[in-house]
Amino acid sequence: MKLERLFEVKASKLYKMTGEPVSLDGLAFPVKWSDVEAGEEEYNEDFLARLREELKSKDDKGDFVFIEPVFDKNASPEQFTAAMKHCARRIKDCVSVIGFALPVEILKSKDFYIEELSAKHQQYCYFCKENVGTDVVLY
C-alpha cells in the first residue's frame, strides 16, 4: 500500500502539500528502540501491533505525528536502522505518520537511514536536532 505524500520540506521547514506551513510543536511521538527490537533482528510484534493501532486512531482524528526513535540500546547504527525500517513496515498504512526523526547517535549514517526508510515510504519527511539548542533540521 503506497500512501500519498501529504507533507513536504522546503528550506528546512515543513509544509502541507497545499503550501500551508506546519509547526513541529507537539508532533513528536517517541518510540524506544528497545520496545521495537527484542533482540538482534528479533522484533516485538505485539508492541508494533499496539503502536499501529494507536497511530490508526490518530488517522481517524486527522492528527499527525513524527516517529521520534529513542536510541536506548548499545549497538550499531545499522542495527538501529534495520529496527526502524521494520517499524516503518508495520505502520506503513498509518496516514498520521509524517515521517521519522534521526537521533543524534546516527547522524553520521543519516543518508543510509533516510535511504533505507524512504525505499518503501517515499511520503516520509525526516527531522533532527543536530545540536542542543539549535533549530530542527528537516530533510
Side-chain angles (χ1 to χ4, degrees), residues 8-73:
E8 64 183 337
V9 175
K10 293 182 189 175
S12 197
K13 300 231 184 280
L14 185 66
Y15 294 88
K16 290 184 178 179
M17 292 303 288
T18 59
E20 180 184 341
V22 177
S23 169
L24 296 177
D25 292 341
L27 293 183
F29 190 93
V31 174
K32 289 181 183 178
W33 178 9
S34 60
D35 287 340
V36 172
E37 187 180 64
E40 190 169 340
E41 294 189 37
E42 183 182 321
Y43 303 110
N44 184 341
E45 298 300 340
D46 290 336
F47 169 78
L48 292 167
R50 288 190 311 274
L51 174 64
R52 182 185 171 279
E53 287 176 22
E54 188 171 354
L55 293 170
K56 289 302 284 177
S57 74
K58 291 184 178 306
D59 287 357
D60 298 338
K61 298 176 197 167
D63 292 342
F64 295 96
V65 298
F66 263 105
I67 301 299
E68 187 168 41
V70 178
F71 197 98
D72 65 345
K73 292 176 68 169

Side-chain angles (χ1 to χ4, degrees), residues 2-3 28 51 54 93 101-102 116 121 123 133 136-138:
K2 189 174 181 179
L3 294 179
L51 174 64
E54 188 171 354
D93 65 335
L102 291 92
E116 286 293 301
H121 311 283
Q123 79 276 14
V136 171
V137 178
L138 288 143

Side-chain angles (χ1 to χ4, degrees), residues 34 37 52 63 102 107 110 116-117 124 134-135 139:
S34 60
E37 187 180 64
R52 182 185 171 279
D63 292 342
L102 291 92
L107 286 182
K110 71 181 173 194
E116 286 293 301
L117 270 68
Y124 284 167
T134 64
D135 291 333
Y139 299 96

